[in-house]
Amino acid sequence: MPVPLPPEVARAFMETDEAPSAHLDMLNAISFRTAGAGLRLGVFEELANGPLPVASLAERIGADPLGLRLLLDALVGFGYLVQPGDAYANSENTSRWLLRSTPDSFAPVLSFWTTVVTELWGDLETSVRQGGPTGDFYAWLERRPETLADFQTMLRRLAGWLSEEVITLVPAPPSGGRLLDLGGGHAGYTAAFCQAYPELRATVVDLPGALSQGRAVVESAGLTDRVELRPGDLLTADLGAGYDLVLLFNIVHGYDDSQVAALLDRVAAALNPGGRVVLLEPLAEVPERPPGVADAFVRAFSLNLFHTQGGRAYAFDELAKLLTAAGFGEPEERMLTRSDADHLVIATRT
Ligand SMILES: C[S@@+](CC[C@H](N)C(=O)[O-])C[C@H]1O[C@@H](n2cnc3c(N)ncnc32)[C@H](O)[C@@H]1O
């Protein structure tokens, strides 16, 4: 949580150059890391039922009482906890956002990004110097079931929030049509399209571990007879042909220009003439996007994509050029009212 500051101190750091803003960044980085530790140690979940003194909390989560007290004191300073008397309790914001049982909990997001920043960002300078990623992000993720579950949960919940609007913005596929969801993982978007179009049949291609949430989503939506979950590498697997709609949702940002071009060629070959490809992407250089959290996130995310995958957030014009080169006509950008960061790009196979 950003360090709580009286207005005149905030002004000195942020609106004047009387104090180094990097000092605040340093504290905010430590705040983020201590929150991740509180989450991983189970502090917030243990305090969900009410305040506890440090000794009982230490016993319940199996921690050293002194180490835990120092962590709790830091979390109080950062606003994640409060300290009524001798006991510690979750702050209101922590109770609202960091408990796993809340349907729109931020815990999977905090947990996932804590792991990314602590495990993958240590060599940020290397990727910037060498011009490419220092590892294989998705192979790394497939080896970490808990982080993978956080990642897919985070994206599945975003899909739950965005799907309704996405479906209204994508032209309807023909009755009895076929949808291909490349890198569709949790299958939330596929399930939403199949629910909106009862004649639609779908195939989701993703890595084996990523499909485990997809399996649960498809089963609970009663769609097992209409949705095929196909483990495979979207860059090399035989995609087949005869599709009317291909979803590339949060996919192309993981690749460099030449890989995106090759992928779009494969998608064009899999689509029927007149079929559509739909990209969902956090786009760079969106003039309508107001400065603020979404803009800061897209810039940070783009750097993360370059560092971990060799990709980046693309601008609409760049994607339109790549789509046109792959044989798609009339690429169009659609803004979403439910997110300042995410945009649709829709194009038709000529
Ligand atoms: C950022 S997630 C997007 C998931 C989903 N499409 C969405 O928008 O919520 C990227 C997905 O692509 C999958 N993926 C990445 N590389 C892949 C590859 N080489 N072959 C198949 N799937 C891949 C990941 O496992 C993950 O599910």
Side-chain angles (χ1 to χ4, degrees):
M1 214 173 278
V3 183
L5 297 175
E8 67 282 6
V9 179
R11 232 183 345 269
F13 276 106
M14 291 187 282
E15 289 170 28
T16 75
D17 46 13
E18 283 168 38
S21 308
H23 189 189
L24 282 189
D25 278 348
M26 186 187 80
L27 287 169
N28 288 335
I30 294 168
S31 171
F32 169 70
R33 183 65 188 92
T34 52
L39 191 69
R40 287 175 174 179
L41 288 165
V43 167
F44 306 134
E45 293 296 333
E46 282 300 332
L47 294 177
N49 294 325
L52 286 174
V54 68
S56 345
L57 184 57
E59 203 177 314
R60 288 182 191 213
I61 66 170
D64 171 69
L66 177 59
L68 181 62
R69 179 169 67 75
L70 298 174
L71 177 75
L72 299 180
D73 288 345
L75 288 169
V76 169
F78 293 131
Y80 285 98
L81 298 181
V82 291
Q83 197 178 6
D86 282 345
Y88 294 86
N90 288 332
S91 68
E92 282 182 21
N93 199 278
T94 296
S95 299
R96 167 67 185 87
W97 293 107
L98 293 186
L99 301 179
R100 292 245 178 211
S101 56
T102 317
D104 57 352
S105 170
F106 195 75
V109 185
L110 177 62
S111 175
F112 170 74
W113 279 100
T114 297
T115 309
V116 167
V117 173
T118 53
E119 289 192 28
L120 299 184
W121 273 55
D123 57 354
L124 180 60
E125 298 82 355
T126 308
S127 61
V128 173
R129 263 196 207 106
Q130 75 186 17
T134 54
D136 179 337
F137 173 73
Y138 283 106
W140 171 85
L141 196 56
E142 286 274 310
R143 290 194 300 272
R144 280 169 180 68
E146 282 182 19
T147 310
L148 177 59
D150 280 333
F151 179 71
Q152 291 291 342
T153 301
M154 171 175 95
L155 290 163
R156 176 170 52 76
R157 289 183 176 167
L158 183 62
W161 172 242
L162 296 181
S163 290
E164 190 184 342
E165 188 175 13
V166 165
I167 284 164
T168 63
L169 293 170
V170 174
S175 173
R178 290 175 62 208
L179 175 149
L180 175 63
D181 188 357
L182 287 177
H186 53 77
Y189 293 106
T190 282
F193 271 94
C194 285
Q195 281 157 342
Y197 300 107
E199 304 294 318
L200 191 66
R201 285 171 300 133
T203 302
V204 182
V205 175
D206 207 309
L207 303 172
L211 286 176
S212 69
Q213 285 207 18
R215 201 160 298 114
V217 166
V218 167
E219 280 169 14
S220 78
L223 290 168
T224 45
D225 55 337
R226 290 168 56 205
V227 178
E228 179 200 1
L229 299 171
R230 193 188 294 168
D233 186 330
L234 60 84
L235 295 177
T236 55
D238 178 6
L239 301 179
Y243 292 98
D244 303 287
L245 189 58
V246 175
L247 308 184
L248 280 175
F249 282 12
N250 294 303
I251 299 301
V252 302
H253 61 225
Y255 300 114
D256 67 23
D257 302 50
S258 63
Q259 291 170 307
V260 176
L263 178 59
L264 293 178
D265 284 344
R266 285 163 57 67
V267 169
L271 273 168
N272 289 327
R276 288 192 174 83
V277 63
V278 183
L279 284 66
L280 177 70
E281 282 290 320
L283 291 183
E285 297 168 31
V286 177
E288 301 89 337
R289 186 157 54 222
V293 173
D295 187 62
F297 177 77
V298 175
R299 288 166 192 268
F301 187 50
S302 194
L303 175 61
N304 177 65
L305 292 166
F306 182 79
H307 172 60
T308 59
Q309 297 170 58
R312 65 195 167 94
Y314 288 89
F316 170 73
D317 289 350
E318 294 177 298
L319 292 179
K321 217 163 156 185
L322 287 159
L323 283 161
T324 307
F328 289 95
E330 303 162 17
E332 286 177 36
E333 181 182 357
R334 294 267 191 273
M335 311 292 283
L336 296 174
T337 58
R338 291 196 156 190
S339 167
D340 280 338
D342 304 286
H343 303 259
L344 288 178
V345 177
I346 305 174
T348 306
R349 204 205 119 174
T350 48

